[in-house]
Amino acid sequence: MTGRRAFRWHIVVFLAPAVLVYTAIMIIPLFGTLNLSLFNLDATRERVFVGLENFRTLFGDPRWSHSFWNALANNAWFFVVHMLVQNPIGILLAALLSSPRLRMAAFYRTAIFIPTILSFVIVGFVWKLILSPIWGIAPGILDMVGLKALFAPWLGKEEYALTTLALVSVWQFVGIPMMLIYAAMLSIPDEVIEAAEMDGVTGWSQFWKIKLPLILPSIGIISILTFVGNFNAFDLIYVAQGALAGPNFATDILGTFLYRTFFGFQLQLGDPHMGATIASVMFLIILLGVCVYLFLVQTRLRRYQF
Amino acid sequence: MKSRLRLAILTSTLLAGAAHAQDVTLTIESWRNDDLTIWQQTIIPAFEAANPGIKVVFAPTAPAEYNAVLNSKLDAGSAGDLITCRPFDASLELYNKGHLADLSGLASMANFSDVAKSAWQTDDGSATFCVPMASVIHGFIYNADAFAELGIEVPTTEAEFFAALDKIKADGTYIPMAMGTNDQWEAATMGYNNIGPNYWKGEEGRKALIAGEQKLTDEPWVAPYRQLAKWKDYLGDGFEAQTYPDSQNLFTLGRAAIYPAGSWEISGFNTQAAFKMGAFPPPVAAAGDTCYISDHTDIALGMNAKSANADAAKTFLEWVGSPEFATLYANALPGFFSLNSTPVEMADPLAQEFVGWRAKCQSTIRSTYQILSRGTPNLENETWNASANVIRGTETPEDAAKRLQDGLASWYEPQK
């Protein structure tokens, strides 16, 4: 019985499709991008190896670095809005939905989730219309409740545009944390809840002391999904504000900055090398964020086995 | 032996190609998706009737994506046979990369003046790589019914212009001017480069800027921003979030009195607006001053250097350079004015009004297009941003001009 076990071919065979497809469309382009960021054109327009020169331009040249830090700061704010608004609302909705006394839970669940499956183009366009100072219904609705003075052309004001778009994105994606938390809450066994009730832990304190600790791993996953999604975001800003991410670059995030640089815009010709440099930095930022999560947060989350 | 075989195969291929000549299909890449029906129903049938055996397909992309999409297609080798050319550097870059063929040898090139060809030539003028099609003229389109109702004369000087705006504003029935800053480019194209030539004296100032004899911080280049800053008070509520289609609709629905325009709007406005329209050129500082207009060489047609149907494509391009095409195009698309040396009769009164300015004003092209948008930061794109900022009042004209000058001087040798 100690003979070597036969090589388990079926593992290779079953893994192959996913590995091959993933390598072809994700891994190879990723390394291609990292590689491209180390090259640039010389005076004779030949492609030459320049080492980290492109990165020095990006961080050292005042114009490039100003655009980059502006995009990064905007992106960070975009993420903060999602963490502070989308995820707490998602948890709240999940808690309400899992309440046994709520009627028509299935309807609410579907209605709240539907925007998630809409295209960015539709969401961007619809919200632009809703908020339009000319044809929009937002000014009318505010007028009906006597708050017309609060209306501003939000998407056109430097100080509001980014937050407005972040909230539109929250509206679209709040269904995802809701669903994940909802699933986590449903998986809490009744015995645990009953035991808590026997000990007199009910209502809000039951939520804080029993349910929340049990759904923390899900919240961790949602946070990291939000982080990756936000730092890769592009579509909504592009659809609503165009590639120049107006007003005055107030809504410019890393995705739109990358697009403008890589593909060019109007008279600006595309620069694949600097574009790849920005893409590489984005990759490193996301990698760093995920590593922080995996090594500092994930390992400390206690898992409960039932 | 081997080479003879190869020759035989090549000959047979060519013969086979000739035998199937009726199957040649040319594809046109373009950003003019608004013109799809005109190409399909007017222009292409006229060509196909005269040239049996060549089929033409017009395949436009959205304007904002055109340059990026075209570059990717050309690099991948999947672009169409005929390429609609943006003016100046975007097309020059394509020619230098070998994507556009040299068309200097076309017989119909003789139908165009040097100025018309300048937007699609190498810097030394030795090669022309696109057949000029049309230019667009900037000015203001106004609601003639509204002007009559309020008793406003068409303004010719700046003082009259602002007096008219004040009167429309005081009356309150109409928004004085339909423009927004959400999309940014209108502020630069229909704002700065529309009114600017009167200040920098058209070609004189534009050439001096390229030569480095004038700076963007000089008075003629800052003054247009001062005027733009005054426009703010005459734009509609919430103009900061007003998009280009919003502005078009505001005007054609009759809610705004004046629209800072490019002549390409004419055909769209003719079908949309139910009221009488007129047009006036950018008002001058004092009565009797020479007026300058932006008569911008905007659109041309070139040939994909790697096209498999080069002969058919050249036949099409010869036709595009002919007076026949010029008449057809200018009348099908009033507002796109032919660059052909042969005068073209146009039926549309609004288009006639625009083109009539060529006789009394000096023509120039947009200041940022030739050479000055070659580097990073890109002067044209910066001008969008600066013009929108100035109109919104978040940057002073002087600060905006200084920022543009610093950006230009950072890479453009004559301005250092």
Side-chain angles (χ1 to χ4, degrees), chain A residues 45 135 238 246 248 265-266, chain B residues 65 67 93 184 246 381 385:
Chain A
R45 308 190 61 80
W135 337 101
Y238 182 71
N248 199 17
F265 183 67
Q266 196 62 16
Chain B
E65 277 123 49
N67 295 15
E93 172 78 8
Q184 306 191 32
D246 286 345
N381 293 4
N385 176 267

Side-chain angles (χ1 to χ4, degrees), chain B residues 258-279:
Chain B
I258 298 177
Y259 181 88
S263 58
W264 65 84
E265 307 280 13
I266 292 174
S267 54
F269 281 12
N270 277 341
T271 51
Q272 297 287 327
F275 49 85
K276 201 167 160 293
M277 287 179 291

Side-chain angles (χ1 to χ4, degrees), chain A residues 65-251:
Chain A
S65 68
H66 175 260
S67 300
F68 174 78
W69 292 115
N70 174 48
L72 186 63
N74 287 342
N75 222 149
W77 176 244
F78 198 68
F79 173 61
V80 167
V81 171
H82 278 80
M83 286 301 283
L84 291 183
V85 181
Q86 174 186 286
N87 298 347
I89 291 182
I91 295 168
L92 181 70
L93 288 172
L96 290 175
L97 280 179
S98 62
S99 150
R101 273 171 299 173
L102 183 76
R103 278 194 259 165
M104 304 216 304
F107 170 76
Y108 292 127
R109 203 174 55 208
T110 314
I112 293 166
F113 195 73
I114 275 181
T116 309
I117 60 175
L118 290 178
S119 148
F120 277 106
V121 181
I122 297 172
V123 171
F125 188 70
V126 164
W127 274 98
K128 254 179 111 165
L129 271 182
I130 293 174
L131 297 174
S132 163
I134 302 162
W135 337 101
I137 56 165
I141 290 178
L142 283 176
D143 202 19
M144 277 192 314
V145 293
L147 294 173
K148 183 75 196 294
L150 283 184
F151 182 79
W154 289 299
L155 288 176
K157 294 273 194 189
E158 279 176 48
E159 55 273 42
Y160 305 128
L162 182 64
T163 311
T164 309
L165 284 170
L167 291 175
V168 168
S169 172
V170 165
W171 171 85
Q172 184 180 8
F173 286 118
V174 75
I176 292 196
M178 179 192 80
M179 281 303 200
L180 288 171
I181 304 282
Y182 181 59
M185 282 188 171
L186 289 186
S187 71
I188 299 174
D190 287 342
E191 299 87 62
V192 178
I193 305 291
E194 278 163 18
E197 277 168 2
M198 301 284 271
D199 292 340
V201 183
T202 54
W204 272 111
S205 83
Q206 187 187 63
F207 175 79
W208 287 111
K209 291 185 177 147
I210 310 293
K211 288 182 176 168
L212 194 62
L214 289 175
I215 57 171
L216 266 183
S218 295
I219 293 176
I221 290 287
I222 289 161
S223 307
I224 202 67
L225 283 178
T226 311
F227 176 78
V228 175
N230 285 169
F231 277 83
N232 273 327
F234 161 75
D235 333 43
L236 183 68
I237 310 278
Y238 182 71
V239 170
Q241 306 290 66
L244 275 185
N248 199 17
F249 300 108
T251 56

